Amino acid sequence: MVKVEYHQAVSCPLKDIQFSFFQMVYVIAGKGFLKINDNISSYSKGSLILLTPNDQHNLEIIENTDLLLVKFSERYVKNYKWNSINSMECLLYGASFLSGCILQNKPDVVLVNSIVDSLLHGLNYPDLYQEELTFNYVNALIVIAARNISKMRAEHITSNSDKRAIDIINYIQGNIHDPALLKVSAISEKFGFSQTYLGSYFKKQCGETIQQYISNYKMRLIEHRVLFSDMRVNEIVTEFGFSDESHLNKFFKKRHHMSLTEFKKMKSPKAMV
């Protein structure tokens, strides 16, 4: 599912609503403040904001605001063939700790402006093959968003993190569905570290053990599967390499003290309208 919409707003059209899809919000004109979950940041003309599933968001509009909304589903991100980008979904979910404009890579500003102009033109003057063009424009925005998030994420690990730590994290995210490749022995061999040194190195660079990072990251993806997809429990078991449903539920209950079914009933957001 991909949908592009243009909005003119003098007050926040959506307040304290959670969605089951991603939204990229581009500010064509206006200024104000955006609250995503518990974070507040300003927005202005040219801001590109990514809202991930489960975010709560409000706009406090100071000047009349024109917005381009680009909506796309988790399934679209997961199923599209992204060529060399192995963890597109992971990068987008990684935006959940960010707030405000994600467009930090200056050369991308010109690209995004051009894409937004093309999407607006398509909305106002639809022509032959418009749907195919829209998909390509949206895909370009997703890749640009992922590139900027990746660079921002690298700066938020710790002040002492280096490129090797980022490479290890990218490796973990890209292989999160294969338990064999997530063993310390496999990661150590991949990056030429001893197992002992890998453990101390990763904790120093990232502030948590490598097993904690793998567990936390896997849990975050499973939570999104439970809340925002139609996957069955046995499908999640297969995707993440658990031995059976009991193994998955034990892993999940250790964190949430409830089953996947109970978690979904309690946390599930309103359906997309």
Side-chain angles (χ1 to χ4, degrees), residues 74-115:
E74 175 190 26
R75 186 173 295 276
Y76 179 81
V77 179
K78 184 180 178 185
N79 291 345
Y80 190 83
K81 303 301 181 183
W82 295 105
N83 296 328
S84 61
I85 304 177
N86 296 322
S87 53
M88 175 66 72
E89 176 187 18
C90 306
L91 288 172
L92 292 174
Y93 281 135
S96 60
F97 66 89
L98 303 172
S99 62
C101 181
I102 63 170
L103 200 54
Q104 303 295 318
N105 192 36
K106 290 184 178 180
D108 285 337
V109 173
V110 176
L111 289 175
V112 170
N113 288 342
S114 178
I115 292 168

Side-chain angles (χ1 to χ4, degrees), residues 2-271:
V2 171
K3 192 173 184 180
V4 178
E5 299 175 351
Y6 170 76
H7 282 281
Q8 289 182 311
V10 295
S11 61
C12 183
L14 302 169
K15 186 174 182 180
D16 292 328
I17 296 177
Q18 294 175 305
F19 294 101
S20 58
F21 52 92
F22 293 95
Q23 288 192 88
M24 275 192 285
V25 180
Y26 182 82
V27 181
I28 301 169
K31 66 179 181 180
F33 293 94
L34 169 70
K35 181 179 180 182
I36 302 178
N37 303 321
D38 295 322
N39 299 311
I40 299 176
S41 60
S42 61
Y43 72 82
S44 58
K45 179 180 179 181
S47 293
L48 180 67
I49 300 157
L50 176 63
L51 303 175
T52 60
N54 210 30
D55 283 335
Q56 287 188 323
H57 54 278
N58 296 317
L59 284 180
E60 181 182 330
I61 296 175
I62 296 175
E63 291 182 358
N64 291 359
T65 297
D66 295 352
L67 303 171
L68 183 74
L69 304 182
V70 178
K71 305 177 181 182
F72 50 95
S73 66
E74 175 190 26
R75 186 173 295 276
Y76 179 81
V77 179
K78 184 180 178 185
N79 291 345
Y80 190 83
K81 303 301 181 183
W82 295 105
N83 296 328
S84 61
I85 304 177
N86 296 322
S87 53
M88 175 66 72
E89 176 187 18
C90 306
L91 288 172
L92 292 174
Y93 281 135
S96 60
F97 66 89
L98 303 172
S99 62
C101 181
I102 63 170
L103 200 54
Q104 303 295 318
N105 192 36
K106 290 184 178 180
D108 285 337
V109 173
V110 176
L111 289 175
V112 170
N113 288 342
S114 178
I115 292 168
V116 168
D117 286 343
S118 298
L119 287 169
L120 288 171
H121 182 83
L123 286 175
N124 294 323
Y125 307 101
D127 204 344
L128 191 64
Y129 307 132
Q130 188 60 53
E131 184 176 4
E132 286 76 8
L133 280 171
T134 297
F135 282 141
N136 281 298
Y137 293 142
V138 170
N139 288 343
L141 277 180
I142 292 173
V143 173
I144 290 170
R147 174 160 66 190
N148 281 265
I149 291 165
S150 182
K151 292 186 175 185
M152 294 170 72
R153 181 194 59 187
E155 297 172 359
H156 282 74
I157 297 175
T158 72
S159 59
N160 297 316
S161 298
D162 63 30
K163 185 179 183 300
R164 290 182 300 171
I166 308 304
D167 291 341
I168 292 171
I169 285 176
N170 286 335
Y171 171 86
I172 291 170
Q173 291 185 348
N175 294 286
I176 196 66
H177 306 102
D178 191 335
L181 295 178
L182 297 179
K183 291 181 178 179
V184 173
S185 57
I187 300 173
S188 298
E189 182 178 352
K190 171 72 176 177
F191 291 94
F193 292 157
S194 71
Q195 294 186 34
T196 302
Y197 179 71
L198 174 64
S200 60
Y201 169 81
F202 191 88
K203 186 169 185 178
K204 180 180 179 181
Q205 294 292 321
C206 304
E208 60 185 331
T209 69
I210 199 163
Q211 291 302 331
Q212 286 172 333
Y213 180 83
I214 292 170
S215 178
N216 291 337
Y217 186 71
K218 184 180 292 186
M219 180 63 72
R220 187 160 73 248
L221 292 182
I222 291 171
E223 289 168 355
H224 281 280
R225 295 289 185 273
V226 172
L227 294 176
F228 308 115
S229 79
D230 55 4
M231 292 179 68
R232 300 175 184 272
V233 173
N234 66 322
E235 292 174 319
I236 299 175
V237 166
T238 300
E239 180 181 12
F240 290 96
F242 290 95
S243 56
D244 52 34
E245 291 186 19
S246 176
H247 184 200
L248 171 59
N249 265 306
K250 185 177 180 180
F251 173 78
F252 196 84
K253 282 184 176 181
K254 189 175 181 179
R255 170 72 61 85
H256 291 289
H257 308 291
M258 66 181 75
S259 69
L260 277 76
T261 302
E262 292 169 331
F263 179 80
K264 184 168 186 175
K265 287 179 179 178
M266 179 178 295
K267 301 287 187 177
S268 184
K270 296 180 180 180

